[in-house]
């Protein structure tokens, strides 16, 4: 796996990778992470990957982190952990 870039963002760590014919967009916030795989056949360049990281996409992904935290806490609560 080859790291292509670290994209600056105030709320999440964004790292772009190339691996096995795909671009991987990895978002990290605290103990949670999301990875999106995009086929190199679906886009023409690394610049297109950066274009996907628009405000709407990032806002939705950041909101998803909150849902992930809620889901994990609910699982802990159900099992008294």
């Amino acid at each position: 796996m080859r790291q292509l870039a670290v994209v600056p963002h105030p709320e999440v760590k964004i790292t772009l990778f190339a691996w096995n014919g795909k671009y991987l967009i990895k978002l990290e916030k605290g103990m949670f992470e999301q990875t999106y795989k995009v086929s190199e056949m679906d886009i023409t360049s690394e610049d297109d990957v950066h274009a996907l990281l628009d405000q709407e996409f990032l806002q939705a992904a950041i909101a998803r982190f909150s849902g992930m935290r809620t889901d994990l806490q609910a699982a802990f609560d159900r099992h008294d952990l």
Side-chain angles (χ1 to χ4, degrees):
M1 187 176 327
R2 183 170 55 99
Q3 181 176 322
L4 301 175
V6 174
V7 179
H9 192 276
E11 293 185 61
V12 295
K13 179 180 178 185
I14 305 170
T15 311
L16 303 179
F17 297 96
W19 180 69
N20 202 23
K22 294 178 181 64
Y23 289 104
L24 279 67
I25 303 167
K26 181 176 179 182
L27 306 170
E28 299 174 79
K29 184 170 183 172
M31 61 187 273
F32 299 100
E33 67 180 48
Q34 301 172 45
T35 302
Y36 298 85
K37 296 177 183 178
V38 180
S39 173
E40 289 179 351
M41 297 181 73
D42 291 338
I43 55 178
T44 59
S45 70
E46 183 182 332
D47 289 337
D48 289 344
V49 178
H50 286 271
L52 292 174
L53 301 174
D54 62 13
Q55 184 176 1
E56 187 175 344
F57 174 81
L58 291 174
Q59 283 178 339
I62 291 167
R64 196 167 294 112
F65 279 118
S66 179
M68 291 168 71
R69 185 174 15 274
T70 299
D71 294 344
L72 181 60
Q73 186 60 54
F76 271 88
D77 293 346
R78 281 192 305 278
H79 298 284
D80 295 321
L81 300 172

